[in-house]
Amino acid sequence: MNKFNIIKTKEKKLHCPTYGRYPLAVKKAKGYKLYDFDGQEYIDLLAGISVCNLGHSHPEIVQVIKEQAEKLIHVSNLFYQEEQLGLAERLLGTTHLNRAFFCNSGAEANEGAIKLARRYMQKIKNKDKFEIITLAGSFHGRTLATLTATGQDKLKEGFSPYPTGFKIVPFNDITALKNGISEHTAAIMLEVIQGEGGVRPLHSEYLVQVQNICRENDLLFIIDEVQTGLARTGKFWAHQHYNLKPDIVTSAKALGNGLPIGALLTTQEISEAFGPGSHGTTFGGNALICKVAEKVVEIILRDNLAEQTKDKGQFCLNIFSEIKDEFPDLIAEVRGAGLMLGIELTIPGHEIWNKLLKKGFVLNLTQEKVLRLLPPLIIPEEELVGFAQALKGILAETV
Ligand SMILES: *Cc1c(COP(=O)(O)O)cnc(C)c1O
């Protein structure tokens, strides 16, 4: 048996079978390349699902991990830690918001946002408001509350009963949203571009209208930037493309470039709803991860990665559109912003995805038909051209 099969067989005996894994065991990763146990090299167009935006084992990140690990890793949130302040200052500096809460994942950041919205309405506004409205096709996490908020039924099967106080309305439909609001609605939560849902952008007019509706009805506007944040779409935050001013922004994925961290950002007024002891986490925002995340934000700003990502994304949309014109029967749509890109096929995409993997391109297939690209933001354009050529070759065989 080769190494891959040994690992695969062993895992079957050790793990809960929660994952449908790709037929690849990664031995090491550097920059935008992955390597398997046979020494085969892959171009990484996924970045650990938009996590390693700076590329794998970025030398400055490795250096910070080494230095901070020698100094202080974890003491718990019972203590003041300077490292948390460095990250909070840097991260808040990218937004219109001025208070931060650190946790460990995207689901936890969204769970915190839901709790904060409810508590703000109940404790500060003295209103019986608790309901969170989200959109069909959304993805907000796997905890019971965030799963209930998620607009994809297939992920929810067998986990009932679900927590109450959530309502899902159709995507990009302002009338449906208005009709969904009740006297108990506390907040509207959405992704500017749905990621797991298939790289589906919301219309700019829709987003502006949602913000207005929140203001008119005293609802909190929560934007889940777990996937779209940290320069992924060509701005530091995706909501900045439309000058939106959400009340709460959640972040995770790329914030630690591979180490786990989540963040909730909000205003001072709303943050007051969380008094001491009302919410917390053991690991959240420990010294090591905060020092790493601070460096991540610093590098994104210093190297102007948002601007570069915008240009690379436009370049990709252009070359993918040419492929679409060449294969109109196979490609339905090319969409996205920055390096969050989707190529929607007209047919189930598993075979095409598998051929791309065999040619050394790692990417994701979501919603069965959407080839999803989330490459490290540092990827050179020539590698994206290489991918486009490989895709063209495969499509030509498929016709
Ligand atoms: C990945 C993701 C989450 C969940 O993050 P985890 O770290 O897996 O809990 C939530 N929202 C969006 C938009 C995501 O892409």
Side-chain angles (χ1 to χ4, degrees):
M1 250 200 301
N2 68 12
K3 185 82 179 175
F4 171 75
N5 282 313
I6 291 169
I7 292 172
K8 187 177 167 183
T9 308
K10 192 166 177 184
E11 184 187 276
K12 224 181 158 85
K13 292 185 197 145
L14 294 169
H15 281 199
C16 293
T18 49
Y19 299 107
R21 306 257 199 216
Y22 293 173
L24 171 61
V26 179
K27 185 180 180 191
K28 58 178 186 172
K30 184 80 193 155
Y32 59 88
K33 289 183 179 167
L34 306 179
Y35 301 86
D36 71 11
F37 284 86
D38 298 324
Q40 165 93 31
E41 184 180 295
Y42 296 82
I43 304 299
D44 183 10
L45 302 174
L46 191 54
I49 319 185
S50 195
V51 166
C52 302
N53 281 11
L54 304 179
H56 299 278
S57 297
H58 187 288
E60 288 174 84
I61 299 298
V62 171
Q63 189 59 30
V64 170
I65 293 173
K66 284 182 181 166
E67 280 170 17
Q68 187 63 37
E70 296 273 1
K71 191 174 158 198
L72 176 65
I73 296 177
H74 176 91
V75 283
S76 92
N77 283 309
L78 295 171
F79 302 89
Y80 289 100
Q81 292 152 77
E82 210 179 10
E83 290 82 356
Q84 297 185 338
L85 305 181
L87 173 60
E89 270 183 332
R90 279 225 174 253
L91 198 57
L92 291 165
T94 66
T95 72
H96 60 287
L97 300 166
N98 55 17
R99 291 292 184 277
F101 173 81
F102 298 122
C103 53
N104 312 284
S105 69
E108 227 184 303
N110 288 334
E111 186 93 16
I114 293 164
K115 284 178 72 178
L116 181 58
R118 287 185 174 177
R119 199 165 154 105
Y120 172 71
M121 290 301 174
Q122 292 167 34
K123 289 278 184 188
I124 306 260
K125 293 284 195 182
N126 290 315
K127 288 193 178 139
D128 184 23
K129 289 184 167 207
F130 50 82
E131 192 171 72
I132 313 291
I133 298 184
T134 57
L135 304 186
S138 61
F139 183 83
H140 297 296
R142 303 278 193 168
T143 62
L144 274 171
T146 58
L147 183 65
T148 305
T150 290
Q152 300 186 56
D153 287 343
K154 65 176 195 290
L155 304 177
K156 301 185 186 182
E157 264 170 42
F159 295 120
S160 65
Y162 310 108
T164 53
F166 294 89
K167 188 180 282 174
I168 293 165
V169 299
F171 175 89
N172 261 337
D173 181 342
I174 210 73
T175 310
L177 178 68
K178 279 184 184 161
N179 292 338
I181 294 169
S182 77
E183 59 184 318
H184 297 300
T185 307
I188 297 172
M189 176 161 78
L190 53 79
E191 301 154 84
V192 172
I193 303 176
Q194 293 186 342
E196 311 301 308
V199 193
R200 299 201 306 161
L202 288 168
H203 300 145
S204 59
E205 320 84 76
Y206 176 83
L207 287 163
V208 172
Q209 281 175 306
V210 172
Q211 176 163 289
N212 291 339
I213 288 170
C214 288
R215 301 288 179 264
E216 286 157 17
N217 294 278
D218 285 323
L219 312 179
L220 295 186
F221 187 21
I222 305 172
I223 299 196
D224 176 348
E225 292 257 15
V226 169
Q227 188 160 148
T228 50
L230 285 293
R232 170 57 59 190
T233 69
K235 293 266 186 196
F236 196 94
W237 302 104
H239 69 261
Q240 291 169 338
H241 287 289
Y242 311 108
N243 289 314
L244 300 171
K245 300 268 187 299
D247 302 296
I248 303 177
V249 170
T250 57
S251 176
K253 289 195 165 84
L255 187 52
N257 208 58
L259 295 196
I261 179 168
L264 174 166
L265 308 177
T266 189
T267 64
Q268 187 241 328
E269 188 206 339
I270 297 167
S271 76
E272 297 291 334
F274 272 162
S278 62
H279 188 56
T281 149
T282 300
F283 291 126
N286 78 21
L288 175 66
I289 183 59
C290 283
K291 203 72 187 170
V292 169
E294 183 187 348
K295 188 54 113 182
V296 169
V297 178
E298 182 193 322
I299 293 172
I300 289 173
L301 297 174
R302 181 195 70 197
D303 294 354
N304 229 339
L305 279 183
E307 198 61 31
Q308 284 183 41
T309 300
K310 190 172 156 206
D311 295 343
K312 284 181 194 171
Q314 196 50 56
F315 175 79
C316 285
L317 285 176
N318 294 343
I319 54 177
F320 297 168
S321 296
E322 282 170 30
I323 303 178
K324 176 180 178 297
D325 292 342
E326 210 173 312
F327 299 95
D329 296 340
L330 289 174
I331 299 182
E333 193 182 20
V334 167
R335 57 180 181 252
L339 288 173
M340 180 170 184
L341 298 162
I343 302 172
E344 181 161 345
L345 304 168
T346 57
I347 54 168
H350 192 264
E351 206 176 304
I352 290 169
W353 172 85
N354 203 30
K355 284 181 177 172
L356 283 164
L357 183 65
K358 291 224 170 83
K359 284 190 188 282
F361 296 98
V362 168
L363 62 153
N364 174 243
L365 179 72
T366 183
Q367 307 296 322
E368 314 240 304
K369 284 184 177 177
V370 184
L371 296 172
R372 180 167 62 143
L373 283 79
L374 297 160
L377 307 182
I378 48 102
I379 195 163
E381 279 184 0
E382 58 262 32
E383 300 292 359
L384 297 162
V385 172
F387 162 76
Q389 280 164 350
L391 177 62
K392 245 161 98 166
I394 291 165
L395 293 176
E397 291 167 13
T398 310
V399 184

